[in-house]
Amino acid sequence: MTVYLFDFDGTLVDSHEAVEKALRLAIERTMPAVIESELYDEYYRALFLFIKGKLTYRHLGVIHELVAQGTIHEYYRLMPTFIKDFPNARRVVRTLRKRGRLVVSFSGEHTYPGGKVIFLKKTNWYDEFDSIVTFKGTGDMLQKFESVRDLHPDEPIVWIDDSPSRFTYVTDDNTLLVQKASPYKHDVALLFERDNFLKIRNIREVLDVDDRLGEFME
């Protein structure tokens, strides 16, 4: 039984524009005076860094205020409403499951505790998968991947992600690493030298990969 690991944001759904919309609207609704002030850029930047897990000490004071005003909570409430499925994404996942493949949501956790599961449920994606796995960073990602491999020691794994840098840490030869093209992510040149790496333009091509999996995994 082939195991498919799907990243979520940027792979199955387009959340890039949703981030900006939710950021701006969250600030506007909870701190309207900031919109017209010179502080807006600083508040926007602090909130952006927070949700990306890259907050610096310089913005801690601003974050405390954003927490007090409910801005961060409002962002996570709004964000799922702006997320859009990529064309054919659900059909691909459903078709793979009908073919008897095990399909796992395998993606990075949000800074907000449990945020990824919340997004999956609010966008009605949660029940599309056989299981949900989230990770916090590179080390945790590799541990979670090894856990999946331990559960399926002999089955081929196909990992689809728009962030190819994650693949550089994986040395499992029975895993096909599939980069889903994104205008926001850069290629990693050394990956193209690997026999178990493939880049696709859109998520529909995953079904073609599944049809020809024996060729890629030889």
Side-chain angles (χ1 to χ4, degrees), residues 140-195:
D140 190 39
M141 176 190 75
L142 292 175
Q143 289 182 357
K144 297 293 178 59
F145 176 78
E146 287 303 319
S147 295
V148 174
R149 172 50 77 200
D150 289 343
L151 288 172
H152 309 279
D154 301 316
E155 291 90 340
I157 294 176
V158 182
W159 182 352
I160 304 100
D161 202 311
D162 70 314
S163 299
S165 60
R166 290 172 173 169
F167 296 153
T168 61
Y169 302 96
V170 181
T171 57
D172 188 302
D173 292 333
N174 200 25
T175 296
L176 179 63
L177 306 169
V178 181
Q179 175 188 348
K180 191 259 184 186
S182 168
Y184 312 111
K185 303 292 176 63
H186 297 293
D187 290 344
V188 178
L190 63 85
L191 288 173
F192 289 90
E193 300 175 5
R194 296 188 182 182
D195 294 333

Side-chain angles (χ1 to χ4, degrees), residues 4 6 11-12 86-93 95-96 99 158 160 176 178-182 198-213 216:
Y4 278 83
F6 278 94
T11 299
L12 293 173
F86 280 121
N88 298 306
R90 289 183 195 262
R91 186 169 72 87
V92 166
V93 169
T95 299
L96 289 173
R99 291 180 180 182
V158 182
I160 304 100
L176 179 63
V178 181
Q179 175 188 348
K180 191 259 184 186
S182 168
L198 182 68
K199 183 177 180 179
I200 59 175
R201 293 168 298 174
N202 59 69
I203 206 67
R204 169 63 182 81
E205 294 180 59
V206 172
L207 295 181
D208 298 328
V209 171
D210 188 65
D211 289 334
R212 302 168 52 205
L213 191 57
F216 298 115

Side-chain angles (χ1 to χ4, degrees), residues 87-158:
N88 298 306
R90 289 183 195 262
R91 186 169 72 87
V92 166
V93 169
R94 290 170 181 174
T95 299
L96 289 173
R97 293 183 74 183
K98 286 180 180 178
R99 291 180 180 182
R101 315 313 188 216
L102 185 71
V103 181
V104 179
S105 174
F106 190 78
S107 57
E109 180 59 278
H110 290 288
T111 306
Y112 194 86
K116 181 53 63 73
V117 170
I118 292 172
F119 281 19
L120 287 169
K121 289 182 176 179
K122 288 190 174 182
T123 53
N124 296 317
W125 269 100
Y126 187 86
D127 293 327
E128 299 286 359
F129 302 101
D130 292 297
S131 63
I132 309 293
V133 177
T134 62
F135 49 84
K136 295 180 180 180
T138 300
D140 190 39
M141 176 190 75
L142 292 175
Q143 289 182 357
K144 297 293 178 59
F145 176 78
E146 287 303 319
S147 295
V148 174
R149 172 50 77 200
D150 289 343
L151 288 172
H152 309 279
D154 301 316
E155 291 90 340
I157 294 176
V158 182

Side-chain angles (χ1 to χ4, degrees), residues 44-67:
Y44 182 94
R45 181 65 176 167
L47 185 53
F48 177 80
L49 291 174
F50 175 82
I51 66 172
K52 293 297 183 180
K54 299 178 179 179
L55 186 64
T56 64
Y57 285 109
R58 174 176 175 268
H59 293 95
L60 282 180
V62 176
I63 288 297
H64 288 159
E65 190 168 349
L66 292 174
V67 170

